[in-house]
Amino acid sequence: MTSLEKHNRMANAIRFLSMDAVQKANSGHPGLPMGAADVATVLFTKFMRFDPKNPNWPNRDRFVLSAGHGSMLLYSLLYLLGYEDMTLEDLKNFRQLGSKTAGHPEYGHASGIETTTGPLGQGIANAVGMAIAERKLADEFGEGLMDHYTYALCGDGCLMEGISQEAITLAGHLKLSKLILFWDNNSITIDGAVSLADSTDQHARFRAANWHTIDIDGHNPDEVAAAIEEAQKSDKPTMIACKTTIGYGAPKKAGTNKAHGSPLGDEEIAETRKALGWEYAPFELPEDILDAWRVAGLRSTKSRVEWEERLEGTKAEIKAEFNRRFSGALPGSFDRTVQKYKQKLADEKPTLASRKSSQNALEVINGAIPETIGGSADLTGSNNTNTSQTPSITPDDFSGRFIHWGIREHAMAAAMNGIALHGGLIPYSGGFLIFSDYCRTSVRLAALMGIRVIHVWTHDSIGVGEDGPTHEPVEQMASLRAIPNLLMFRPADAMETAECWQLALESQHAPSGIALTRQNLPAVRLDYSEKNLCATGAYDLIPANEAEVTIFASGSEVGLAVEAQKVLDGKGIATRVVSVPCMELFFEQPEDYQKAIIGNSPIKVGVEAAIRMGWDAFIGTDGIFIGMDGYGASGKGSDLFKHFGITAEAIVEAVEKKRA
Amino acid sequence: MTSLEKHNRMANAIRFLSMDAVQKANSGHPGLPMGAADVATVLFTKFMRFDPKNPNWPNRDRFVLSAGHGSMLLYSLLYLLGYEDMTLEDLKNFRQLGSKTAGHPEYGHASGIETTTGPLGQGIANAVGMAIAERKLADEFGEGLMDHYTYALCGDGCLMEGISQEAITLAGHLKLSKLILFWDNNSITIDGAVSLADSTDQHARFRAANWHTIDIDGHNPDEVAAAIEEAQKSDKPTMIACKTTIGYGAPKKAGTNKAHGSPLGDEEIAETRKALGWEYAPFELPEDILDAWRVAGLRSTKSRVEWEERLEGTKAEIKAEFNRRFSGALPGSFDRTVQKYKQKLADEKPTLASRKSSQNALEVINGAIPETIGGSADLTGSNNTNTSQTPSITPDDFSGRFIHWGIREHAMAAAMNGIALHGGLIPYSGGFLIFSDYCRTSVRLAALMGIRVIHVWTHDSIGVGEDGPTHEPVEQMASLRAIPNLLMFRPADAMETAECWQLALESQHAPSGIALTRQNLPAVRLDYSEKNLCATGAYDLIPANEAEVTIFASGSEVGLAVEAQKVLDGKGIATRVVSVPCMELFFEQPEDYQKAIIGNSPIKVGVEAAIRMGWDAFIGTDGIFIGMDGYGASGKGSDLFKHFGITAEAIVEAVEKKRA
């Protein structure tokens, strides 16, 4: 058997596992795995560095299947390469409830799935994040410990999505030369030919973004190998355009959109077997080919062992730090640092915009936790996400800890996912809360994956003021709270801001968003408490026995609640104030805690400078809600609060009206 | 005075109005208006065709300020050109509560504001939509009635946002040669130099997308004029890169990010007056310059009058049709058409996926309403948004009525906004509900503007099945319902689908989303009703006197509610079913209607294959909710409904448990 014959048979193993699994599931996408099988075979048998027995080896090369609908490509590879938690049985259960082999690759389902993909374009930006993480950690720990490539495979859909442009311009700017993107250039999308909707010269586009590009026949293994070698040598990120035939090998459907997203059908599969000379039953593999794949799977064992030896040979502190970083654990001293800072805040009781309180907290955090990596989507001075420890990362110097993401919220969020998935770093962003809408898909994916990324979202209400309704969130708190497994924090003052930051950092398996104000807020938490009061999501800020009125509020409106409480109390109306910094954490508390906090005041008031959605869980459907019921307006922030009736006076008035 | 001197003084009028208004407001962005004043002066005094006395002239050129933070540029222009509803007083009230002159341009606040901008990149895609509308209407009504340019002005931020790539690749593909984009190439963003975050060769990027590009000194009026002339002649869309100095004229702050987003300060303004030789007080304009602007404002009166004459000279039916189209009114016969179709549905009682019911309804609608223009983001066969009347629009033939948007949900939504804003057409999209997340910013802007765009969002729950959680909406219904002034429909069967389509089409001042299933649904509306029952948002589908149980459900779960009702009724438990196709419309109903529908059954159940958020308003916080509380999974749709306990049996069981 010539080496080309061997290659073809190895690639065909992917093709038949994929098309047979799709056929058995009666659902799925055979076209991409069949088309990209040659590229994947060359990449994984000759270049990718990984160890199926140690799938989490920190210095492994990363592979991202951005075109996630081609999931059977990845599952086939993992099985063929000998990843132990991907069995033939798993492939047979493709797309069935409870299987590891979901319709799209899901992070955490099996080793070797580096990220969850499916929503197009996301994977490219994840890969950019991984490549950033690699550079940053190489700078910090040296290339002996961190020196790997990040590969991604995308389709035409990924390249049409806007996020791809944000990601590639960022990668080109940052000269991420160890990022190599394969474009599965098959000229077909679901609707038919790409030319129905697009005429972009992708090579020129990538070169305009400071990438190196290479054009190859994606079915010629020698060209694939030569291109990867060339890409590895480039001082820019490289896009390899692999001209492929979707559904390669299927006599009737290859090269058409019929091969994209449906099973080929028994007849076409039988014809494909004939055409490719594959005489084996579904899920049956010739021993020599499986052996060849398994041998390829062990290619990098030596490299991994040598790396382990280098790690062993490193100074004990550095080794311990490296291992801690990749374990995800925070430094042991962190809680003490926070306590000290909280004592200071209790002493000083500062009146500050919470975006500024956040910066102050970050100054402490970034001093205590070296793995945080900050940034902003061109709003550094507004988001206050920079601190004395965070010089900027530049294309030629990754020793900094701050990324100028540019006006690219979407790629920022998706690349942060990639940084978190890579391990060793904790990314936090900076943006306006309103622009969370631009990156919602990536935020959702972080929540679905359960990874620790932290979004700093400032300018969190009509407090934005003059910029007007295009910049004033009213429904964003509700719509972000709606995302399962996303912790949305909205702290009321400097103390709560510090506590929310601590919770976000300690939350290893959920992303967080922290909504912060532009405008000043008085301190409402005046005493030191060792306990993190925000940890229960909602707590008694001002308790009252047999309170007739309970006011629930978050963020900037807690101060109003406290003011109103004083007035009502002065009028002999027993009033209690509950601060609600994080609804998600509250609803994770034991039922009796929830009941106690919600309590049984006859009058319940919710106050948030946002829409009511979500607050009924606290105040009931007959509770009073002081907030917004439509868009904001352009004007001075203080004028807007008055105009929209979100004031202490309005709270008092509403309570008195209800009592009358 | 030479013509250059005159130009400079006219441009300086913009500069000083802008910097003085920002100073007076003590808030805003002087840099862009000062930098782009020369470009705007040439464009508006020599090229733009419009009539301040007839600002809604359908054939006017459109101008979109994509860099919306430079709003004072637009407000200054409108005042200078003689738009009657933009007075000096309005400029003095810049960014004050209640003023027309909001921080960012808001559609509807004053004539000449063609769209609401601020969130970056959106305006470019709006302009693409306007240019599509122009080509489509030119094809339909002839170039005698429709033949105008669409101009847009963007900044570096717009070009970094991913949506810009989607928009420009679409425009290049469609050869929108009458679209002319000015890039205010000032090399400055909020954080500082563009080079902090980007190194893109924008010319090469645009050329890769099939655009013509021109590079000019944006302060040289001759170069600006020559470039516009060249652009007008191009057979491609044109990007004119205008090298400008942000804050042009300010001695210390020009060319720096200090001029971007804050008032210049009294001292710097005084120095700028000296530097530019401007001896007038704030808001004071020399008579000759104001006159020159006002004369320029009247430049196109003749052209407008000639156009009116051409319209008058057109066949009566065509003239009436043209006028109807631009009035936004539907054809008078539409309601009769719907009634006939509803009678047919009552006879046939089809069991269909609601995406298919939608296609059937669209077949009727597209036959009755010639101004609908459909499309899909590469999911035509899945969204079912094509009908027999909608051949595809191609780069060289705009006679079709269907746009292959490509995998570009964001630009699709924003360009649809542009089509609706242009007038004469009603755009509807096709996409998966989950991917509404990709285009949320544009959907929100449509709702803020109150324009009629209709989003067809199919695959609306775990009914998606095997594609898994990345493709299964669970929180999207809630998060879209959270957007003020967006009507979110979720019809239960073919009849409701037809009614919801009618409501969406009749809603001239709000966008709509229609959530539709992949899986089959039985008919639940079995009888013909002339009245559109969905119009109240929620209605008694199965009434019951003194119902012990009321089940509220939407979409695919109404069928389950009906099944459960039968079982409960059979057990002697009086049960009522309320269908909830549109929460927003329900909460617009008179209070007594709302009370009657919500009723006082001791047991209230909400059923939706999505999260609970929003349903408490129907079932109270102690109601039973049958739905999702986290992400879906990959598996057969029917398996998933069972797995997540969203079945008629689960409803019955929950009711019986509550009664016990």
Side-chain angles (χ1 to χ4, degrees):
Chain A
M1 190 157 53
T2 67
S3 77
L4 179 61
E5 280 165 355
K6 186 176 162 198
H7 163 86
N8 286 341
R9 281 163 59 80
M10 288 178 79
N12 286 342
I14 297 176
R15 292 193 172 98
F16 284 96
L17 286 175
S18 298
M19 80 180 87
D20 288 331
V22 169
Q23 187 65 33
K24 184 162 190 297
N26 196 25
S27 164
H29 301 75
L32 184 137
M34 295 171 74
D38 293 308
V39 172
T41 300
V42 174
L43 176 65
F44 277 83
T45 63
K46 295 197 168 20
F47 293 91
M48 276 284 290
R49 232 173 12 166
F50 60 94
D51 182 351
K53 313 288 176 215
N54 292 270
N56 298 321
W57 174 29
N59 196 37
R60 69 192 180 280
D61 287 341
R62 304 301 197 272
F63 175 75
V64 174
L65 182 66
S66 187
H69 52 277
S71 55
M72 271 309 304
L73 177 74
L74 184 56
Y75 301 148
S76 301
L77 285 166
L78 296 178
Y79 167 67
L80 290 166
L81 291 162
Y83 280 78
E84 285 171 6
D85 58 355
M86 185 61 71
T87 65
L88 208 51
E89 211 47 43
D90 291 319
L91 301 192
K92 290 179 187 168
N93 281 322
F94 181 50
R95 290 185 157 234
Q96 303 311 303
L97 182 57
S99 74
K100 289 171 189 165
T101 47
H104 295 79
E106 290 190 42
Y107 177 70
H109 276 216
S111 307
I113 300 175
E114 300 281 6
T115 178
T116 295
T117 51
L120 293 176
Q122 298 290 328
I124 300 176
N126 292 164
V128 169
M130 292 175 186
I132 289 173
E134 191 270 347
R135 283 296 79 200
K136 172 67 196 152
L137 293 167
D139 181 275
E140 199 170 351
F141 291 97
E143 299 207 333
L145 293 186
M146 189 54 55
D147 176 23
H148 68 77
Y149 289 98
T150 301
Y151 299 95
L153 191 149
C154 75
D156 292 291
C158 292
L159 295 187
M160 280 197 234
E161 290 286 358
I163 187 176
S164 67
Q165 181 69 10
E166 298 184 17
I168 71 171
T169 53
L170 182 67
H173 174 71
L174 288 176
K175 300 183 187 167
L176 299 175
S177 59
K178 292 165 83 181
L179 173 65
I180 299 173
L181 174 66
F182 299 94
W183 166 33
D184 182 38
N185 175 18
N186 63 27
S187 308
I188 292 294
T189 66
I190 294 175
D191 273 6
V194 169
S195 59
L196 275 175
D198 191 52
S199 333
T200 308
D201 176 344
Q202 298 292 357
H203 285 276
R205 172 196 178 195
F206 274 80
R207 286 195 302 267
N210 202 30
W211 283 56
H212 179 52
T213 78
I214 307 173
D215 204 25
I216 60 163
D217 172 357
H219 297 302
N220 180 325
D222 294 336
E223 288 193 29
V224 175
I228 297 173
E229 277 168 23
E230 182 180 328
Q232 289 185 342
K233 286 176 202 147
S234 171
D235 59 355
K236 299 175 176 180
T238 299
M239 186 276 276
I240 305 176
C242 309
K243 188 70 220 163
T244 63
T245 302
I246 191 170
Y248 180 91
K252 285 188 189 138
K253 296 186 173 177
T256 77
N257 61 345
K258 292 201 178 84
H260 173 85
S262 321
L264 295 178
D266 289 329
E267 193 181 325
E268 180 79 349
I269 287 180
E271 292 299 317
T272 310
R273 280 191 150 71
K274 276 189 215 161
L276 295 179
W278 190 261
E279 56 212 12
Y280 315 99
F283 303 104
E284 188 189 314
L285 292 167
E287 210 178 301
D288 64 320
I289 292 303
L290 185 57
D291 281 353
W293 272 107
R294 291 290 156 91
V295 168
L298 299 172
R299 273 177 45 249
S300 310
T301 308
K302 184 159 166 276
S303 178
R304 198 259 309 154
V305 169
E306 286 166 2
W307 181 89
E308 300 275 5
E309 285 165 6
R310 284 198 298 280
L311 182 64
E312 282 309 310
T314 307
K315 255 203 288 186
E317 308 92 87
I318 294 178
K319 183 184 151 194
E321 176 67 4
F322 187 91
N323 285 333
R324 181 188 70 73
R325 292 285 201 90
F326 274 87
S327 78
L330 299 178
S333 60
F334 179 58
D335 187 63
R336 283 198 306 280
T337 307
V338 172
Q339 296 304 338
K340 214 174 125 189
Y341 179 59
K342 282 171 63 175
Q343 273 166 330
K344 180 167 171 274
L345 290 176
D347 292 345
E348 295 180 357
K349 302 176 182 40
T351 290
L352 285 174
S354 53
R355 61 175 168 153
K356 183 67 192 163
S357 295
S358 167
Q359 188 174 41
N360 293 348
L362 270 171
E363 184 70 31
V364 174
I365 290 162
N366 288 338
I369 305 181
E371 60 265 40
T372 54
I373 177 165
S376 170
D378 196 46
L379 293 166
T380 303
S382 298
N383 300 144
N384 299 96
T385 43
N386 55 342
T387 66
S388 69
Q389 305 90 347
T390 61
S392 299
I393 283 174
T394 70
D396 300 310
D397 183 359
F398 275 71
S399 66
R401 283 172 63 183
F402 191 88
I403 301 175
H404 290 281
W405 292 104
I407 297 122
R408 302 184 182 102
E409 299 84 1
H410 201 171
M412 169 172 73
M416 285 167 64
N417 292 353
I419 292 173
L421 288 161
H422 182 279
L425 295 166
I426 303 174
Y428 68 84
S429 74
F432 284 168
L433 179 58
I434 192 76
F435 299 140
S436 62
D437 281 355
Y438 272 102
C439 55
R440 201 172 156 84
T441 301
S442 309
V443 173
R444 182 184 207 256
L445 283 165
L448 177 58
M449 290 191 271
I451 56 176
R452 177 170 50 187
V453 299
I454 302 171
H455 287 285
V456 175
W457 283 317
T458 68
H459 296 62
D460 75 347
S461 75
I462 52 167
V464 163
E466 290 89 345
D467 273 350
T470 54
H471 285 56
E472 287 164 358
V474 294
E475 78 279 23
Q476 277 65 25
M477 284 304 301
S479 69
L480 289 165
R481 285 173 182 144
I483 297 179
N485 198 40
L486 171 66
L487 301 178
M488 267 310 294
F489 295 99
R490 191 164 185 259
D493 69 356
M495 185 73 81
E496 280 200 0
T497 302
E499 291 188 341
C500 291
W501 260 111
Q502 182 179 22
L503 293 165
L505 288 161
E506 289 175 353
S507 161
Q508 273 202 51
H509 301 293
S512 301
I514 310 183
L516 300 164
T517 66
R518 179 187 181 215
Q519 73 275 20
N520 274 345
L521 304 180
V524 295
R525 282 275 298 283
L526 307 176
D527 303 315
Y528 169 71
S529 145
E530 190 185 341
K531 196 176 150 200
N532 186 322
L533 298 184
C534 293
T536 54
Y539 65 92
D540 259 321
L541 180 67
I542 303 180
N545 282 334
E546 295 182 22
E548 183 184 345
V549 178
T550 299
I551 310 177
F552 301 86
S554 87
S556 44
E557 286 67 67
V558 175
L560 304 183
V562 169
E563 262 186 75
Q565 190 274 347
K566 276 184 204 143
V567 177
L568 290 167
D569 222 45
K571 296 186 182 207
I573 305 167
T575 300
R576 175 176 162 249
V577 175
V578 174
S579 180
V580 186
C582 182
M583 288 194 183
E584 295 76 23
L585 289 177
F586 177 69
F587 292 112
E588 285 174 10
Q589 300 308 308
E591 206 173 330
D592 54 351
Y593 180 80
Q594 291 187 38
K595 276 198 177 151
I597 287 295
I598 288 174
N600 44 23
S601 298
I603 299 179
K604 293 193 178 114
V605 188
V607 194
E608 187 170 71
I611 61 167
R612 179 175 182 137
M613 191 182 258
W615 282 94
D616 283 359
F618 289 87
I619 60 177
T621 50
D622 57 348
I624 298 168
F625 184 73
I626 303 283
M628 301 290 292
D629 61 3
Y631 294 105
S634 173
K636 290 186 183 63
S638 52
D639 288 354
L640 296 180
F641 275 92
K642 271 178 224 142
H643 176 73
F644 290 106
I646 306 173
T647 60
E649 296 72 43
I651 300 171
V652 171
E653 201 178 307
V655 167
E656 290 188 314
K657 195 174 155 200
K658 184 99 170 187
R659 292 179 87 230
Chain B
M1 189 158 54
T2 67
S3 77
L4 179 60
E5 281 166 353
K6 186 176 161 198
H7 163 87
N8 287 341
R9 281 165 57 83
M10 288 177 80
N12 286 341
I14 296 176
R15 293 193 172 96
F16 285 96
L17 286 175
S18 298
M19 80 180 88
D20 288 332
V22 169
Q23 187 65 33
K24 183 161 192 297
N26 196 25
S27 164
H29 300 76
L32 184 137
M34 295 170 73
D38 293 308
V39 171
T41 300
V42 175
L43 175 66
F44 276 84
T45 63
K46 295 196 165 25
F47 292 92
M48 275 284 291
R49 230 171 15 165
F50 60 93
D51 182 351
K53 312 289 176 213
N54 292 269
N56 298 321
W57 174 28
N59 197 37
R60 70 193 179 278
D61 288 341
R62 305 299 196 274
F63 175 75
V64 174
L65 182 65
S66 187
H69 52 276
S71 56
M72 271 309 304
L73 176 74
L74 183 56
Y75 303 147
S76 301
L77 284 166
L78 296 178
Y79 167 67
L80 289 166
L81 290 162
Y83 280 80
E84 285 170 7
D85 58 355
M86 185 60 71
T87 65
L88 208 51
E89 211 47 44
D90 292 319
L91 302 191
K92 289 180 186 167
N93 281 322
F94 181 50
R95 290 186 157 234
Q96 302 311 303
L97 184 56
S99 75
K100 290 171 190 164
T101 46
H104 295 80
E106 290 191 41
Y107 177 70
H109 275 214
S111 307
I113 301 176
E114 300 281 6
T115 179
T116 295
T117 50
L120 294 176
Q122 299 289 329
I124 300 176
N126 293 163
V128 170
M130 291 174 186
I132 289 173
E134 191 269 348
R135 280 297 80 199
K136 171 69 195 151
L137 293 167
D139 181 274
E140 198 170 349
F141 292 98
E143 298 207 333
L145 292 186
M146 189 54 54
D147 176 24
H148 68 77
Y149 289 97
T150 302
Y151 299 94
L153 191 150
C154 75
D156 292 291
C158 292
L159 295 187
M160 279 197 235
E161 290 287 358
I163 188 175
S164 67
Q165 180 68 9
E166 299 184 15
I168 71 171
T169 53
L170 183 67
H173 174 71
L174 289 176
K175 301 184 185 165
L176 300 174
S177 59
K178 292 164 82 179
L179 173 64
I180 299 173
L181 175 66
F182 299 93
W183 166 34
D184 181 38
N185 176 18
N186 64 27
S187 308
I188 292 293
T189 67
I190 295 175
D191 273 7
V194 168
S195 59
L196 275 175
D198 190 53
S199 332
T200 307
D201 176 344
Q202 298 291 358
H203 285 277
R205 172 195 178 195
F206 274 81
R207 286 196 303 268
N210 202 31
W211 283 56
H212 179 53
T213 78
I214 307 172
D215 204 27
I216 60 164
D217 172 355
H219 298 301
N220 180 323
D222 294 336
E223 289 192 28
V224 175
I228 297 173
E229 277 168 22
E230 182 181 329
Q232 289 185 343
K233 285 177 202 147
S234 171
D235 59 356
K236 300 174 176 181
T238 299
M239 185 276 276
I240 305 175
C242 310
K243 188 72 220 161
T244 63
T245 301
I246 191 170
Y248 180 92
K252 285 189 189 139
K253 296 188 173 177
T256 77
N257 60 345
K258 293 200 178 86
H260 172 86
S262 320
L264 295 177
D266 289 329
E267 193 181 323
E268 180 78 350
I269 286 179
E271 292 299 317
T272 309
R273 282 192 149 70
K274 277 190 215 158
L276 295 178
W278 192 259
E279 55 211 13
Y280 315 101
F283 304 103
E284 189 188 313
L285 292 167
E287 210 178 301
D288 64 320
I289 292 303
L290 185 57
D291 282 353
W293 271 107
R294 292 289 156 91
V295 167
L298 298 173
R299 271 177 45 250
S300 310
T301 308
K302 183 158 167 277
S303 178
R304 199 258 310 154
V305 169
E306 287 167 0
W307 180 90
E308 300 273 6
E309 285 165 4
R310 283 198 299 280
L311 181 64
E312 282 309 309
T314 308
K315 254 202 289 185
E317 307 93 87
I318 294 177
K319 183 184 150 195
E321 176 67 4
F322 187 92
N323 285 333
R324 180 188 69 74
R325 292 284 201 89
F326 275 87
S327 77
L330 299 178
S333 61
F334 180 59
D335 187 63
R336 282 198 305 282
T337 307
V338 172
Q339 296 304 338
K340 214 175 124 190
Y341 179 59
K342 282 172 63 175
Q343 273 166 330
K344 180 167 172 273
L345 290 177
D347 292 344
E348 295 179 357
K349 303 176 183 38
T351 290
L352 286 175
S354 54
R355 60 175 168 152
K356 182 65 193 165
S357 295
S358 168
Q359 189 174 40
N360 293 348
L362 271 171
E363 184 69 32
V364 174
I365 290 162
N366 288 339
I369 306 180
E371 60 265 40
T372 54
I373 178 165
S376 169
D378 196 45
L379 294 166
T380 304
S382 298
N383 301 144
N384 300 96
T385 43
N386 56 342
T387 67
S388 68
Q389 305 90 347
T390 60
S392 299
I393 283 174
T394 69
D396 300 310
D397 183 359
F398 275 71
S399 65
R401 284 172 65 185
F402 191 88
I403 300 175
H404 290 281
W405 292 105
I407 298 123
R408 302 185 182 100
E409 298 84 1
H410 202 169
M412 169 173 72
M416 284 167 64
N417 291 353
I419 292 173
L421 288 161
H422 182 279
L425 296 166
I426 303 175
Y428 68 85
S429 73
F432 284 167
L433 179 58
I434 192 75
F435 298 139
S436 62
D437 281 355
Y438 271 101
C439 55
R440 202 173 154 84
T441 300
S442 309
V443 173
R444 182 184 207 256
L445 283 164
L448 177 59
M449 290 190 271
I451 56 175
R452 177 170 51 188
V453 298
I454 303 171
H455 287 284
V456 175
W457 283 316
T458 68
H459 295 61
D460 75 347
S461 74
I462 51 167
V464 163
E466 289 90 346
D467 273 351
T470 54
H471 285 57
E472 287 164 357
V474 294
E475 78 280 22
Q476 277 65 25
M477 284 304 301
S479 69
L480 289 165
R481 285 173 182 144
I483 297 179
N485 199 41
L486 170 66
L487 301 178
M488 265 311 293
F489 295 99
R490 191 165 186 259
D493 69 357
M495 185 73 81
E496 280 200 1
T497 303
E499 291 188 342
C500 291
W501 260 110
Q502 183 178 22
L503 293 166
L505 287 161
E506 289 175 353
S507 161
Q508 273 201 52
H509 300 294
S512 300
I514 310 183
L516 300 165
T517 66
R518 178 186 181 216
Q519 72 275 21
N520 274 346
L521 303 180
V524 296
R525 282 276 299 282
L526 307 176
D527 302 315
Y528 169 70
S529 144
E530 190 184 342
K531 196 176 151 200
N532 185 323
L533 298 184
C534 293
T536 53
Y539 65 93
D540 260 321
L541 179 66
I542 304 181
N545 281 335
E546 296 182 23
E548 183 183 347
V549 178
T550 298
I551 310 177
F552 301 86
S554 87
S556 43
E557 287 66 67
V558 176
L560 304 183
V562 169
E563 262 186 76
Q565 191 274 345
K566 277 184 203 143
V567 176
L568 289 168
D569 222 44
K571 296 187 183 209
I573 305 168
T575 301
R576 175 177 162 249
V577 175
V578 174
S579 180
V580 188
C582 182
M583 288 194 184
E584 296 75 23
L585 288 177
F586 178 68
F587 292 111
E588 284 174 11
Q589 301 308 308
E591 206 173 329
D592 53 353
Y593 180 80
Q594 291 186 39
K595 277 200 177 150
I597 288 294
I598 288 173
N600 44 23
S601 299
I603 298 179
K604 293 194 179 114
V605 188
V607 195
E608 187 170 72
I611 62 167
R612 179 174 182 138
M613 191 182 258
W615 282 94
D616 284 359
F618 290 86
I619 60 176
T621 49
D622 57 349
I624 297 168
F625 184 71
I626 304 284
M628 301 291 292
D629 60 3
Y631 294 104
S634 173
K636 291 186 182 64
S638 52
D639 287 355
L640 296 180
F641 275 93
K642 270 178 224 142
H643 176 73
F644 289 107
I646 306 174
T647 61
E649 296 72 42
I651 299 170
V652 171
E653 200 180 308
V655 167
E656 290 188 316
K657 194 175 155 200
K658 184 100 170 188
R659 292 179 87 227

